[in-house]
Amino acid sequence: MSDLEQFRAETRAWLEENCPPEMRKPMRGEKDATWGGRNPEYAHPDQKVWMDRMGARGWTVPDWPKEYGGGGLSPAETKILREELKRINARNPLNSFGISMLGPALLKYGTEEQKLEHLPKIARGEIRWCQGYSEPNAGSDLAGLATSAEDAGDHYIVNGQKVWTSYADKADWIFCLVRTDKTTKQGGISFLLFDMASEGVSTKPILLISGYSPFCETFFDNVKVPKANRVHDENKGWDVAKYLLGHEREMISGMGLGAGTDQLIEAARKGVDPILRGQIALFDVRSRAFAAMSERFIDELKAGKAHPAQPSMMKYYGTELNKTRHELLMAAGGSDALEWESEASNGGAAPRAWLRTKANSIEGGTSEIQLNIIAKRILDLPS
Ligand SMILES: Cc1cc2nc3c(=O)[nH]c(=O)nc-3n(C[C@H](O)[C@H](O)[C@H](O)COP(=O)(O)OP(=O)(O)OC[C@H]3O[C@@H](n4cnc5c(N)ncnc54)[C@H](O)[C@@H]3O)c2cc1C
């Protein structure tokens, strides 16, 4: 047996023993997602068991170094683990902006103290993070942000407002873009980390059309943040912000691989009308092509060989696919799919998920902005 074959056999055996059967069932909705944090919420107790077991092995972040709470796996081993998790339909043990966004940025730009302080807690799901980027007048034009951080010796005093901060009311810490120099735009931004329990931080939920309130307005009123919590140099936060956005877009592009396609194919086999059947077939072909491209993209990204604009391409196409998937699910479900509250419809899971996809082409940077980036940086068109 080669080393990799042996690793696959051991991984398969460990997963068989440690992944609780409940965690191999499809998720029924957002409530089944595991986010960890200081005040965790679990729809089923096995979510905690699964998160803790994977976290203790470093397999919530398999390719991070072991000293930072990761599994220390090579790219080939990481891929095998992903395949073995998929083989048993295992749920994601831990959803986390720490894993998908802050972690990669800290690994590249953080000090050794910052890595040792934050990464292991992210890996074990002990601290839940939120993202303080967008502001009322700074979304697509993110570098126009105004939240200020005044120099006060060994700390900053932060004042301002963020908006659309996903799960800010549930998060323990925030990674936040602030203005430390008002005389330039991108060159006057710094990247800070602070506890959401700090004095002067408050949040106010915003209700979505799906009926949920996953995000908030977030206010900072004279919040004291130690300078030691700044990632990278003062006024160099834009570099960190852009690098993190690449990883965020990669994470969001994964929606293109989301569940529901099997259900569509099943509906097509049972005999929906021929036009819908044709649309489902076309969707299936595009999904498979996207999955193959995703594999290649993730390998290139992890090897540091991805084109800087590639996350925009993947984000654009993955989110369009996810929106199409849910349009088709609604069409295949007929009028039953419009049920909003009933037990049979699992609290209107299908229409709520469909409405939620409308945000896919906004969050992490809108589709128009991704197309602008692709036009400029890949197609070399004039800006
Ligand atoms: C579900 C969801 C979760 C989110 N979570 C977070 C979060 O956790 N933290 C956070 O900081 N932010 C978050 N956001 C905010 C998100 O990043 C912004 O909504 C997004 O960047 C767009 O900014 P905006 O809403 O201000 O729209 P605007 O920038 O005002 O854009 C309005 C419209 O104009 C278009 N437009 C703007 N500029 C251009 C241009 N140059 N060329 C062509 N078209 C253009 C846009 O495409 C859009 O259609 C979230 C958003 C959503 C929907």
Side-chain angles (χ1 to χ4, degrees), residues 97 101 129-142 162-168 175 177 208 214-216 245 248-249 252 255 356 358-370 372:
F97 296 161
M101 297 194 233
W129 288 82
C130 63
Q131 177 188 34
Y133 272 35
S134 308
E135 297 184 2
N137 292 313
S140 299
D141 182 21
L142 181 60
K162 298 288 170 179
V163 73
W164 317 125
T165 330
S166 299
Y167 308 111
F175 49 92
L177 295 180
L208 291 185
F215 50 27
C216 298
L245 271 176
E248 178 178 6
R249 288 172 184 159
I252 296 174
M255 289 174 180
R356 174 63 181 82
K358 303 293 174 198
N360 291 169
S361 38
I362 303 174
E363 57 200 310
T366 67
S367 280
E368 289 78 15
I369 295 301
Q370 305 319 308
N372 281 353

Side-chain angles (χ1 to χ4, degrees), residues 89-202:
N89 297 318
R91 287 190 196 169
N92 184 4
L94 179 58
N95 281 33
S96 156
F97 296 161
I99 291 177
S100 54
M101 297 194 233
L102 178 63
L106 274 184
L107 283 166
K108 185 169 165 81
Y109 291 103
T111 61
E112 191 56 19
E113 289 75 22
Q114 287 169 339
K115 290 179 194 172
L116 289 170
E117 168 66 19
H118 298 296
L119 294 175
K121 291 180 193 161
I122 290 174
R124 294 191 297 265
E126 289 168 7
I127 292 292
R128 183 170 178 176
W129 288 82
C130 63
Q131 177 188 34
Y133 272 35
S134 308
E135 297 184 2
N137 292 313
S140 299
D141 182 21
L142 181 60
L145 62 94
T147 292
S148 67
E150 298 294 334
D151 192 328
D154 63 349
H155 62 275
Y156 295 105
I157 298 291
V158 177
N159 278 291
Q161 184 199 336
K162 298 288 170 179
V163 73
W164 317 125
T165 330
S166 299
Y167 308 111
D169 52 343
K170 296 189 180 344
D172 307 310
W173 275 63
I174 187 167
F175 49 92
C176 192
L177 295 180
V178 294
R179 181 151 301 286
T180 33
D181 183 347
K182 294 188 174 112
T183 61
T184 71
K185 204 172 175 185
Q186 280 88 349
I189 292 171
S190 297
F191 191 103
L192 298 184
L193 312 175
F194 52 95
D195 197 318
M196 289 294 279
S198 309
E199 207 180 321
V201 179
S202 58

Side-chain angles (χ1 to χ4, degrees), residues 299-330:
D299 284 351
E300 287 172 353
L301 189 75
K302 300 251 184 262
K305 291 184 182 154
H307 185 288
Q310 214 165 326
S312 294
M313 248 164 62
M314 301 304 293
K315 199 254 165 188
Y316 173 74
Y317 200 75
T319 53
E320 290 303 320
L321 263 186
N322 200 37
K323 289 201 298 185
T324 306
R325 174 186 294 113
H326 284 268
E327 289 288 342
L328 291 172
L329 281 167
M330 291 301 287

Side-chain angles (χ1 to χ4, degrees), residues 212-251:
Y212 296 125
S213 294
F215 50 27
C216 298
E217 293 177 280
T218 305
F219 303 92
F220 308 124
D221 182 14
N222 288 322
V223 182
K224 197 172 159 185
V225 180
K227 281 195 175 161
N229 290 13
R230 190 190 64 230
V231 179
H232 202 24
D233 297 338
E234 188 170 272
N235 297 326
K236 285 275 167 52
W238 191 242
D239 294 343
V240 188
K242 280 190 300 181
Y243 183 76
L244 185 146
L245 271 176
H247 285 270
E248 178 178 6
R249 288 172 184 159
E250 181 229 320
M251 180 260 295

